Amino acid sequence: MMRLVVVSNRVTMPERGEKVAAGGLAVALRSALEEHGGLWFGWSGATKAEPASSVEPVRHGKVTYAVTDLTEAERQSYYLGFANRALWPLMHYRLGLTEFTRTDYAGYLGVNRRFARLLIPLLKPDDIIWIHDYHLIPLAAELRRRGVTNRIGYFHHIPWPPAEVFGALPFSATLISTMAAYDLIGMQTPNDVANLIGGMVALCGAQRDGNRVRSGQRKAVVQAFPIGIDVEAFRKLAVASVRAATQPVRATTAPLGSRKLVIGVDRLDYSKGIVQRLEAFGTFLRNHPEHRGEVGLLQIAPPSRTDVPEYVELDRMSDEVAGRLNAALGEFDWTPIRVVKKAYSRSALSGLYRRAQVGLVTPMRDGMNLVAKEYVAAQNPDDPGVLILSRFAGAAQQLGEALIVNPFDTHEVAEAIRTALAMPKSERLRRFERLYATISSTDIAWWTSRYLAALSGLDIPSGDVVPPGRPKPLRSTRKSGADSKPARLDTLPQASRPAHGKFASVRAKALPNAPSAG
Ligand code: F6P
């Protein structure tokens, strides 16, 4: 019986409460594992003096958690250093912010090696291993080096930049070549797929054959699997939150009276375009003074990676810009912008989304952006709000009925806010219905089952494009062209057997969800 083993940098244990986690990745992985059961391995989020030499798995329901602490030096070099000062800005096309040191890189490789050593004793021969995110790029290579032959998949939750950008990173050729140790590499969008394959070809001489890429003895399939949310659960949460008028929703919305609300919700991260968004809201109020006193922007921005200097600077700048705009544009009884730097429960957020006439989601670059999908899911279908979405969020490739904007163009974003607030109900309904159909047909169950079916050999879908509102249907058989062959049948002992056990049922369950609407 195949067991799912998920590996991610951060593991959220169930008892830690939902407020803290709330990144798209954490929510998605928890729902995948709670449904299928399995093992979740990664960093506890804590540090201790000595590196652990083994981990003690703990079972909660169907999921077994195996977490390890890092030393403070590892947290500095692996997490804050290489992952978040080198890879994060680089992957978000921000070469100017990229800080590389050899010490950080050595720490990053060291933690990946240690994760491999700690994970191996927990593995069974038929396990299917699913590794997540940029912190763990070389983990499969480390596992292979130690003789692991299981199927190993990777999902990259953030953008992957073109070779010209990625290649600026010292050791980029070595790092990108380790991707070939995976059997299936999932990316958010076709653009990311093209960039990764292009990078492997350009930087380490890999050979490309459609969506397969060969480097040395190994061949990986690279495919887009746009991540989704649990639409139905989030919709219900929003209805319940508004009905119960929970404290944050009541306290935020009661003083608004008939005023309109524009909402932004993001980790306090420079990739999210928060400062540019505040400026755009100021420009909107300057250019359209008739809206002053009638609408407010609520920006919820829980602090993130506060030990990284660029994040400290962003914290300062967002306060400064909001303060300046409020002083210039506010009235004694009206504050145009509120920036709240704390995390709220998902229930409170869902209620606020439903109350807001406009969802302002304008990252400068983003892998997918699940806030965009959550905003749509939370809307009242009889009187929906309008989503304004950056063209540089992966979600824009699916959600074409949003008002799509260039976040670098303050004037364009300001005009989109005006258009959204004035949009007739008939047009809001038309756009909402199509957006909702898209997020429902590519929800989190669809994402998980489509990826796991592909990784476990049931189905490697061919082609990458998931057109807005009309995702590609799953194939019902594994035959047909070369592209539909399962990943790496050659060297993996269990892979040539027909898929069986859990992931067969995963796929069967996925079919009704899969993409007819849209
Ligand atoms: O996918 C983006 C990501 O880095 C996730 O790994 C993580 O859950 C989220 O952003 C929040 O980041 P951090 O774990 O650094 O707080």
Side-chain angles (χ1 to χ4, degrees), residues 35 449 453 458 474 501-514:
E35 180 166 1
S449 55
L458 270 166
L474 292 176
K502 295 182 188 176
F503 303 122
S505 67
V506 168
R507 180 165 150 62
K509 186 170 178 301
L511 282 171
N513 258 338

Side-chain angles (χ1 to χ4, degrees), residues 291-322:
H291 284 283
R292 291 192 198 172
E294 280 185 0
V295 55
L297 169 63
L298 171 61
Q299 174 64 52
I300 296 177
S304 175
R305 304 176 191 165
T306 46
D307 294 338
V308 176
E310 289 75 17
Y311 290 70
V312 176
E313 173 60 9
L314 172 66
D315 192 10
R316 192 194 61 72
M317 267 177 73
S318 55
D319 286 353
E320 190 216 288
V321 172

Side-chain angles (χ1 to χ4, degrees), residues 9-10 23-26 79 84 88 133-135 157-158 267 304-305:
N9 168 55
R10 220 182 255 284
L25 183 149
Y79 171 71
N84 284 324
W88 179 270
D133 237 353
Y134 58 102
H135 314 81
H157 290 257
I158 63 175
R267 273 186 312 106
S304 175
R305 304 176 191 165

Side-chain angles (χ1 to χ4, degrees), residues 326-405:
N326 280 335
L329 298 163
E331 302 287 346
F332 68 90
D333 59 349
W334 171 68
T335 305
I337 297 174
R338 271 171 302 161
V339 179
V340 184
K341 291 182 177 169
K342 60 179 281 203
Y344 284 94
S345 70
R346 296 178 60 68
S347 160
L349 290 179
S350 68
L352 292 170
Y353 290 141
R354 194 171 174 98
R355 170 62 179 78
Q357 281 74 18
V358 180
L360 197 47
V361 183
T362 53
M364 312 314 277
R365 187 68 60 173
D366 213 334
M368 176 54 57
N369 196 301
L370 295 182
V371 168
K373 295 186 175 183
E374 288 178 351
Y375 178 77
V376 174
Q379 293 311 296
N380 176 354
D382 297 325
D383 189 14
V386 178
L387 175 65
I388 298 177
L389 180 59
S390 162
R391 57 190 271 211
F392 301 120
Q397 302 203 13
Q398 289 180 290
L399 304 182
E401 289 81 15
L403 293 180
I404 303 292
V405 293

Side-chain angles (χ1 to χ4, degrees), residues 93-343:
Y93 297 56
R94 300 291 289 271
L95 263 181
L97 296 181
T98 301
E99 295 282 338
F100 172 87
T101 73
R102 280 173 157 72
T103 312
D104 289 345
Y105 185 50
Y108 176 84
L109 295 178
V111 169
N112 273 272
R113 266 196 301 275
R114 198 151 71 74
F115 272 25
R117 277 201 304 272
L118 293 173
L119 181 59
I120 285 172
L122 307 177
L123 293 177
K124 299 177 185 162
D126 268 357
D127 283 347
I128 181 161
I129 304 169
W130 193 8
I131 295 170
H132 291 261
D133 237 353
Y134 58 102
H135 314 81
L136 302 174
I137 289 170
L139 184 54
E142 292 295 341
L143 291 168
R144 299 280 183 229
R145 204 206 309 269
R146 290 167 174 78
V148 172
T149 56
N150 299 53
R151 284 213 167 182
I152 311 182
Y154 173 82
F155 192 81
H156 190 73
H157 290 257
I158 63 175
W160 195 290
E164 279 294 301
V165 175
F166 191 77
L169 181 77
F171 303 102
S172 52
T174 319
L175 188 61
I176 205 170
S177 72
T178 67
M179 292 294 269
Y182 291 98
D183 297 302
L184 175 65
I185 300 168
M187 311 297 280
Q188 298 279 23
T189 70
N191 197 32
D192 301 313
V193 169
N195 287 342
L196 173 61
I197 295 181
M200 290 178 78
V201 171
L203 300 171
C204 67
Q207 287 161 332
R208 173 186 195 157
D209 171 16
N211 64 343
R212 281 150 205 274
V213 59
R214 178 186 287 280
S215 178
Q217 292 307 301
R218 299 211 59 97
K219 192 165 63 175
V221 172
V222 189
Q223 185 84 36
F225 297 86
I227 196 170
I229 62 164
D230 187 340
V231 175
E232 186 52 16
F234 204 76
R235 185 190 67 73
K236 285 187 182 148
L237 203 61
V239 171
S241 172
V242 168
R243 195 168 289 152
T246 50
Q247 172 57 15
V249 178
R250 198 174 52 239
T252 311
T253 58
L256 282 174
S258 59
R259 284 180 180 137
K260 292 187 171 171
L261 178 65
V262 176
I263 194 166
V265 177
D266 313 79
R267 273 186 312 106
L268 192 54
D269 191 301
Y270 51 79
S271 66
K272 303 294 182 182
I274 295 169
V275 166
Q276 294 83 349
R277 186 180 312 162
L278 301 181
E279 293 286 9
F281 193 73
T283 302
F284 155 72
L285 291 174
R286 282 206 182 87
N287 293 352
H288 302 285
E290 68 280 11
H291 284 283
R292 291 192 198 172
E294 280 185 0
V295 55
L297 169 63
L298 171 61
Q299 174 64 52
I300 296 177
S304 175
R305 304 176 191 165
T306 46
D307 294 338
V308 176
E310 289 75 17
Y311 290 70
V312 176
E313 173 60 9
L314 172 66
D315 192 10
R316 192 194 61 72
M317 267 177 73
S318 55
D319 286 353
E320 190 216 288
V321 172
R324 170 167 50 76
L325 292 171
N326 280 335
L329 298 163
E331 302 287 346
F332 68 90
D333 59 349
W334 171 68
T335 305
I337 297 174
R338 271 171 302 161
V339 179
V340 184
K341 291 182 177 169
K342 60 179 281 203

Side-chain angles (χ1 to χ4, degrees), residues 491-507:
T491 55
L492 302 169
Q494 75 279 30
S496 56
R497 293 180 219 147
H500 55 283
K502 295 182 188 176
F503 303 122
S505 67
V506 168
R507 180 165 150 62

